[in-house]
Amino acid sequence: TEWNAFTTYEVTCFTVKMAATSDRINRVFRVYSEMIQRSQLRSLKIKGFRNEMDVIVEELKNAADDPEDRLENAHISALFPKSHPLHNNIIGTVRQLKTYTQGKVRAFWQKHYVPSNVVVAVSGGGASADAAVRKYFSQWSPVAKKTRGIIPRAPECLLRTLPRQRRTRVHVTRIPQEQTYVCLSYRVPKCTMYDRERIAQLRMLDALLGGSPNSRLFQEIREKKGLVYSVSSTLREYKDNVFFEIHTLTEHPLWKKKTTKKTKKTKKTKKTKKTTKKSATRSLGTIGSVLRLIHALRTTQKVTTKEIRDVLQSYEGILKIEEEDSMNLAFHYGDAATFELFDGPNHFIRSPSQEVEASKKITARQLNALARECLVPSHMTLGVASNSLTKQEVVAYVERFAAS
């Protein structure tokens, strides 16, 4: 049995993968029901509570040493203003953690761990799993009608939609590692997680641009030019805002060449400065190559019908594998139910295969219009984590690129 738990910016998830036997299914649901519904929080005694807080502080310090985590936290803060809840790091800061008390944690649990905020998603297990869910969760005392869940419906979440972005934003994080991490985010105007047709089109565009080894970014930036160690694209979906993102990691061959010979300090300093300059040039060249490819997608090298057919074939192959994994299916239906991503009056949730069938209706004309609307320089937030680039250098390069 594999137990796990994690927290995203909008949900906390507890998962378990187990053999589908009646005895084990009952045991797992009994444990989960006691933990979520009737937890005594015994570890919140003073000594236990402090030990738990020490673990979290250590996790926070480890994240500060990880360049990808540092860039992710800085990037989120750049995407959202201070007034928006998503501006803050999930774990928080050491100063904030020191203000937490046993009473605050218990009050949070009592307020938010209630039936109206919980979704139970099960894949596999058949009648035994269905009976276990009813046995251990049907007796959970319902909240009063006036009590509302923490996950708002679409009309309410639209109130937190960000205002229109009118210029490119740039932020640079200095790291000691000899690598350069880049993240480009394009905010999709007037789009939320509930715009299912538009989300389907964005996922198709994601697969074409950087979502697979056959994508344009992977073939051009990594395979053809060899500028990066990795490159990919993805959708950052929240219930009130959606971003189209591109990630690259530049690993320079220069850094792999280590010498054991002793040199004078002056020569070593000159060599370090020369290497740093070459690294900065290469990193800026990578950013320029990505921006040129995106510009070409919007203007001259538009999406073709053949590319869409190839993506759909790849989709179908991947889904056949993923649908054999019960955990993937549980996540698929759990996410849809959590955020109320329903179709029709009967609250119907599409299966992965049905989503692929719906994607077959997407045309090249729709994707080209979407690229022209979304992948606009003024909608872009560019984040860089590097030991060789400064914000001034990146801003100047982006401005020169835009002017040309």
Side-chain angles (χ1 to χ4, degrees):
T1 304
E2 300 175 13
W3 302 81
N4 198 5
F6 59 87
T7 300
T8 71
Y9 278 89
E10 295 179 312
V11 298
T12 294
C13 184
F14 300 91
T15 68
V16 60
K17 192 170 185 178
M18 58 190 162
T21 62
S22 179
D23 178 64
R24 185 154 298 185
I25 288 172
N26 271 279
R27 190 184 310 167
V28 165
F29 276 101
R30 177 177 57 79
V31 171
Y32 267 137
S33 66
E34 290 178 357
M35 179 181 70
I36 295 174
Q37 301 174 38
R38 296 176 293 278
S39 179
Q40 299 298 311
L41 299 177
R42 291 192 180 93
S43 65
L44 295 189
K45 293 180 180 178
I46 295 178
K47 185 177 179 180
F49 181 77
R50 287 176 179 172
N51 290 339
E52 292 293 333
M53 297 305 294
D54 288 341
V55 171
I56 298 173
V57 169
E58 192 62 30
E59 289 179 358
L60 189 58
K61 291 179 179 179
N62 291 337
D65 294 332
D66 187 291
E68 287 187 274
D69 285 345
R70 288 183 63 185
L71 178 59
E72 168 72 9
N73 292 332
H75 201 66
I76 286 287
S77 297
L79 291 177
F80 296 95
K82 291 183 179 180
S83 59
H84 199 286
L86 295 182
H87 174 84
N88 303 307
N89 184 8
I90 294 175
I91 297 181
T93 65
V94 175
R95 179 181 294 181
Q96 289 172 331
L97 290 173
K98 289 181 179 179
T99 66
Y100 295 167
T101 63
Q102 296 97 315
K104 285 184 178 180
V105 174
R106 191 183 298 276
F108 182 91
W109 171 72
Q110 291 174 340
K111 179 180 179 181
H112 296 298
Y113 280 63
V114 293
S116 60
N117 286 345
V118 174
V119 168
V120 180
V122 184
S123 176
S128 297
D130 184 65
V133 172
R134 295 179 187 278
K135 177 180 179 181
Y136 291 106
F137 284 89
S138 63
Q139 302 301 316
W140 197 355
S141 300
V143 293
K145 291 184 178 180
K146 65 179 181 179
T147 304
R148 302 176 63 181
I150 59 175
I151 302 175
R153 293 171 180 267
E156 298 169 43
C157 75
L158 289 174
L159 297 175
R160 290 185 174 182
T161 301
L162 296 174
R164 182 180 178 183
Q165 184 174 328
R166 299 184 181 277
R167 62 183 179 84
T168 301
R169 300 171 183 165
V170 176
H171 66 92
V172 176
T173 302
R174 298 289 292 183
I175 58 174
Q177 289 83 358
E178 294 180 328
Q179 294 172 315
T180 298
Y181 298 81
V182 177
C183 180
L184 294 91
S185 294
Y186 292 86
R187 180 171 170 263
V188 183
K190 300 178 182 178
C191 183
T192 73
M193 187 184 286
Y194 300 91
D195 300 325
R196 302 316 298 161
E197 290 186 8
R198 208 170 196 203
I199 292 294
Q201 294 174 14
L202 285 166
R203 286 177 178 165
M204 179 75 73
L205 190 64
D206 165 44
L208 285 166
L209 191 58
S212 72
N214 295 322
S215 63
R216 292 190 180 188
L217 279 169
F218 191 92
Q219 289 297 317
E220 179 71 17
I221 308 298
R222 188 183 188 279
E223 296 296 296
K224 185 177 178 181
K225 296 184 177 180
L227 289 173
V228 296
Y229 178 74
S230 65
V231 59
S232 62
S233 64
T234 187
L235 286 185
R236 186 188 290 270
E237 297 179 47
Y238 301 109
K239 59 181 180 289
D240 48 8
N241 290 280
V242 177
F243 299 87
F244 191 98
E245 288 194 350
I246 297 168
H247 298 262
T248 72
L249 167 58
T250 304
E251 188 172 62
H252 305 302
L254 290 169
W255 298 326
K256 296 181 180 179
K257 296 179 180 178
K258 297 182 179 180
T259 177
T260 57
K261 294 182 179 180
K262 293 183 179 181
T263 57
K264 291 183 179 180
K265 187 175 181 180
T266 53
K267 290 183 178 180
K268 189 175 182 180
T269 303
K270 288 181 180 179
K271 186 176 181 180
T272 301
K273 289 182 178 179
K274 187 176 180 181
T275 302
T276 302
K277 186 175 180 180
K278 286 184 177 180
S279 301
T281 302
R282 187 183 179 94
S283 298
L284 290 174
T286 300
I287 295 172
S289 295
V290 173
L291 294 177
R292 277 189 288 274
L293 193 147
I294 293 172
H295 178 71
L297 175 64
R298 297 180 63 245
T299 54
T300 57
Q301 299 177 11
K302 298 182 178 180
V303 177
T304 65
T305 303
K306 182 181 181 303
E307 284 181 302
I308 293 179
R309 286 200 299 266
D310 292 342
V311 168
L312 286 172
Q313 287 181 354
S314 176
Y315 263 171
E316 290 175 340
I318 293 172
L319 282 174
K320 285 180 181 179
I321 297 174
E322 288 188 348
E323 287 186 325
E324 295 176 359
D325 189 319
S326 58
M327 186 64 76
N328 285 331
L329 287 178
F331 277 131
H332 174 82
Y333 290 106
D335 281 346
T338 299
F339 294 102
E340 301 184 355
L341 306 178
F342 302 124
D343 291 317
N346 296 324
H347 285 193
F348 170 73
I349 298 177
R350 292 179 183 176
S351 68
S353 298
Q354 289 170 328
E355 288 193 349
V356 172
E357 289 300 317
S359 297
K360 291 181 179 180
K361 299 177 182 179
I362 297 174
T363 65
R365 184 176 181 180
Q366 289 175 317
L367 295 187
N368 288 319
L370 189 65
R372 288 194 301 271
E373 179 187 4
C374 301
L375 304 181
V376 181
S378 60
H379 295 170
M380 182 180 73
T381 298
L382 171 61
V384 179
S386 173
N387 72 342
S388 59
L389 286 173
T390 64
K391 183 176 180 179
Q392 290 77 8
E393 289 175 324
V394 177
V395 169
Y397 183 85
V398 172
E399 289 178 348
R400 288 197 303 272
F401 181 88
S404 64

